[in-house]
Amino acid sequence: MITRIFGLSIIVTVISLVVAYLYGGMTALLLCAILGILEVSLSFDNAVINATVLERMSEFWQRIFLTVGILIAVFGMRLVFPLAIVWVTAGLNPIEAFDLALNPPPNDAPYFDNDPSRPSYETLLTDAHPQIAAFGGMFLALLFLNFIFEEREITWLSWLEKPLAKAGKLDMLSVVVAGTGLVLVAEFLAADDDRSTVLVAGLLGMIVYILVDGLGSMFHTEEFEEGPQGGPSTLVKATGKAAFFLFLYLEVLDASFSFDGVIGAFAITSDPIIIALGLGLIGAMFVRSITVYLVRQGTLGDYVYLEHGAHWAIGALAAILLVSIGVHVNEVITGLVGVAFIGAAFISSLLRNRKGEPDAIEDSKEPASV
């Protein structure tokens, strides 16, 4: 099964490395491999969250996510998105932006011929970091807050999660906390020239999350049957409009997770072709394969704290994105924090299973269809 799940990712990796070598020699090959590893390390928590949503989708929509979704992830977020930022911020047309990306100034200087009127592609993208971080940070913050403010049978960090769940009975508390955090970040971390931009971008991130999550919940409620406890049954897979909005939710979520990887990639190389090959083809393909593996193996049902660990990793990533508006945070730290939460949740799940505690979601488990 592992060969079947990861086989395509391995083939794509080999092809990508060969293309990178033909494109730029051994240096390009090594950079491509490093970016692939970077993306997987930064996005493992993304794979866990993807799996929790993907389990609720019909087989057809699961395949849509794993085919059309991968095209959006590779070409949309890892290639077109950085170029689009340059189009908007620099007032360049797409061809000029792509030419600027392929022809950086010598010695990776921030400007051409020391002319501030001609910034490099990397400089333009880095200058757009505050609004990117504000949008992605607020989207992920709401995802995290809505999770920890919700009461649930199984808790991981019970000493903290249970009091937070009780506090979550206050309506819209997650929006209040997220909005307060955005104001504090704009006031104390953002540069004077960036405050309004950070506020607008952060509000847009909140609006997008509320809209997509709300639409998904609305159709989810209409199309899912009730389970034994009165909640939606996981035995009924989302189809039609419900699955479509879950698909949109996954794509926006993937985009939010991609921000730190795309920005971090420029610490390694500014070549868009290498970034697309490393982050997009290698990294994104392996993240999709990990997602499929988690769904098919029923890993989230066997290791019940993984979802909790992933959401805490999301909360940490959201905080890092917001802090990075005013303070540089090394990408290695970002990756290690996510891995630490997932690893701790996995070990806690193993210990729980050894104690023979009942699996609270045993009744909802079924063979996955991805």
Side-chain angles (χ1 to χ4, degrees), residues 160-179:
L160 181 57
E161 291 181 5
K162 288 184 177 180
L164 289 173
K166 289 182 179 179
K169 293 180 179 179
L170 178 62
D171 195 28
M172 303 299 289
L173 180 60
S174 60
V175 175
V176 173
V177 173

Side-chain angles (χ1 to χ4, degrees), residues 250-266:
L250 279 174
E251 290 306 317
V252 177
L253 181 62
D254 182 71
S256 298
F257 272 101
S258 301
F259 292 149
D260 61 322
V262 172
I263 298 300
F266 281 88

